[in-house]
Amino acid sequence: MAAPLTAKSSIADWLAHPVGGPILAAMVEEGGMTTAVLKPVRRFALQRLVAMSRGRLTQDTVDDLVARVRAAEQGIPDTAQAASSTEQQPAQRGTGTQAQGGGGRGVEPAAWVERVTPGRFDGKTVIVTGAGAGIGQATASRIAREGGRVIAVDIAPDRLTELTIRLDGFDVVPVTGDITAEGDIAAIVAAAGGAIDGLANIAGVADNMTPLHEVTDQVWERVMRINVDGTFKLSRAVIPHMLAAGRGSIVNTASQAALRGSAAGLAYTASKHAVVGLTKSSAFMYGPSGLRVNAVAPGGVITSIESSFDSALGQERIGGQLESMPSLADADMIAASITFLLSDDAVNINGAVLTSDGGWSAQ
Ligand SMILES: NC(=O)c1ccc[n+]([C@@H]2O[C@H](COP(=O)([O-])OP(=O)(O)OC[C@H]3O[C@@H](n4cnc5c(N)ncnc54)[C@H](O)[C@@H]3O)[C@@H](O)[C@H]2O)c1
């Protein structure tokens, strides 16, 4: 017999459940979609969709789903489901969704548990941009918990305050600043105090999924300024310190959009291709001087990054592609890849673009 469903049960468990599966599927279908849209989030608890959907799935709806499953299990008729349940038996619907969620394997993969490597960053100073949220925050946290001194950079001071409270007792130096502003860049380097072992260029923004002829100057300039100019300018200020020390590791943040044309709009795609160019040129130029410059290319990650579909063509072309992407990752999973590249374990890796995408790029 299937385990009782709660809001903490994963989407995969919900879809596979003989009672909960059809109820969840019907809810999705009422919104004009199919359960295929849930594939990228199937590892996550139903509850997490409340925050992730930014209001589209409310807490009341989750509570209602759980209550309806309880009632159905106790044999109380579900008026909201009466029509659809006459069309197909719950057991049949459940089997169908299980195949979709489990990819035909029948068993969901075991959950990943982060394991810190104590002392991996002992004695190292690492600048992390975008440290106030998402991937940057997870990376700053991992480095600090592994003994490093983190220069945590973000344009949003409140986010940095939250980070320092969360990492109380660890060596974290918050610097509020814009990675595209020369004065702020000087302040970031000064906060590091000259000896800079690592730089994680993570701050970045998404676009609005527009194809070339619909890209406004405002979107193009903002995306290129933060994703490309910011990465370039801060690296330009840091590299002389690394050259003087004869060592240093830089990790830039690319994306699936650095590898294909179907993952984002034109501006973001162009900006992330440029990040790969910054990475490869610098790896080639500075490799003999003891510097390593690599990039990570995440797939979909649950963070606070904001994106929108402002183009019908973008929605049609990119929206369809996104349904086939693998399960979304947690920011901690990308931090695991970034800290590996930053660390001495990646001693022989230079100029690589490491995909951290659950296999998306292999499709
Ligand atoms: N989330 C994804 O699915 C995904 C996928 C691939 C790549 N990425 C890349 O990962 C990086 C981090 O994205 P995220 O999803 O964690 O985003 P996020 O929005 O959660 O975090 C980004 C942080 O960068 C900060 N920031 C923005 N502009 C800045 C600036 N000019 N100066 C300093 N700080 C600034 C923001 O305040 C924010 O705290 C970005 O480069 C993004 O393009 C994200």
Side-chain angles (χ1 to χ4, degrees), residues 129-137 153-156 159 177-180 201-206 222 225-227 253-257 268 272 296-306 328 331 334:
T129 72
I135 298 168
Q137 184 191 75
V153 179
D154 206 287
I155 202 165
R159 292 180 167 185
D178 181 340
I179 54 163
T180 69
N201 282 311
I202 301 176
V205 289
R222 177 169 187 262
R225 183 171 53 81
I226 298 173
N227 294 1
T253 309
S255 163
Q256 275 299 300
Y268 188 78
K272 293 300 183 180
V296 68
V301 191
I302 299 167
T303 67
S304 60
I305 202 162
E306 286 184 11
L328 294 179
I334 310 304

Side-chain angles (χ1 to χ4, degrees), residues 174-188:
V175 181
T176 301
D178 181 340
I179 54 163
T180 69
E182 296 294 351
D184 293 352
I185 290 170
I188 295 164

Side-chain angles (χ1 to χ4, degrees), residues 11-343:
I11 298 294
D13 286 345
W14 270 86
L15 289 173
H17 194 275
V19 179
I23 292 178
L24 180 59
M27 191 199 80
V28 171
E29 282 157 19
E30 273 166 29
M33 295 170 283
T34 71
T35 51
V37 298
L38 295 173
K39 192 169 162 252
V41 292
R42 66 178 192 277
R43 283 204 304 243
F44 295 97
L46 178 67
Q47 181 63 47
R48 283 199 69 178
L49 293 194
V50 174
M52 283 165 58
S53 69
R54 298 209 178 97
R56 274 174 294 180
L57 181 71
T58 64
Q59 185 63 50
D60 284 351
T61 306
V62 168
D63 294 344
D64 181 53
L65 277 171
V66 174
R68 281 164 62 188
V69 170
R70 291 267 154 73
E73 285 174 337
Q74 289 163 12
I76 301 166
D78 182 354
T79 47
Q81 287 298 294
S84 62
S85 62
T86 54
E87 290 162 16
Q88 199 170 19
Q89 291 302 309
Q92 291 171 322
R93 294 278 289 269
T95 307
T97 51
Q98 180 174 27
Q100 200 159 39
R105 296 182 308 276
V107 179
E108 277 298 309
W112 175 73
V113 179
E114 179 193 65
R115 291 189 204 286
V116 301
T117 307
R120 188 163 57 146
F121 289 98
D122 272 0
K124 304 254 167 119
T125 295
V126 184
I127 297 171
V128 179
T129 72
I135 298 168
Q137 184 191 75
T139 302
S141 167
R142 180 91 189 240
I143 294 167
R145 288 179 290 123
E146 294 192 351
R149 175 169 175 260
V150 177
I151 311 302
V153 179
D154 206 287
I155 202 165
D158 49 326
R159 292 180 167 185
L160 285 179
T161 304
E162 267 177 44
L163 178 79
T164 48
I165 292 169
R166 192 178 307 171
L167 293 174
D168 186 30
F170 293 96
D171 198 352
V172 177
V173 180
V175 181
T176 301
D178 181 340
I179 54 163
T180 69
E182 296 294 351
D184 293 352
I185 290 170
I188 295 164
V189 174
I196 305 168
D197 302 283
L199 167 63
N201 282 311
I202 301 176
V205 289
D207 70 4
N208 57 350
M209 305 291 182
T210 38
L212 194 149
H213 78 284
E214 295 179 50
V215 176
T216 62
D217 284 352
Q218 192 193 18
V219 166
W220 173 262
E221 282 159 16
R222 177 169 187 262
V223 170
M224 295 303 281
R225 183 171 53 81
I226 298 173
N227 294 1
V228 183
D229 296 5
T231 299
F232 156 64
K233 288 184 177 180
L234 183 56
S235 301
R236 183 174 62 180
V238 165
I239 283 171
H241 297 274
M242 292 182 165
L243 289 173
R247 63 164 201 281
S249 176
I250 298 177
V251 178
N252 295 324
T253 309
S255 163
Q256 275 299 300
L259 309 173
R260 58 170 83 217
S262 57
L266 176 279
Y268 188 78
T269 302
S271 77
K272 293 300 183 180
H273 276 70
V275 167
V276 171
L278 292 173
T279 304
K280 290 194 175 175
S281 171
S282 305
F284 173 73
M285 292 285 188
Y286 305 122
S289 306
L291 274 61
R292 295 187 298 102
V293 185
N294 294 292
V296 68
V301 191
I302 299 167
T303 67
S304 60
I305 202 162
E306 286 184 11
S307 179
S308 56
F309 278 98
D310 291 354
S311 154
L313 179 58
Q315 172 76 61
E316 181 198 326
R317 297 293 295 152
I318 303 163
Q321 295 286 320
L322 296 183
E323 285 189 5
S324 65
M325 71 196 264
S327 183
L328 294 179
D330 257 329
D332 289 347
M333 297 174 179
I334 310 304
S337 302
I338 292 173
T339 51
F340 162 67
L341 288 174
L342 281 172
S343 80

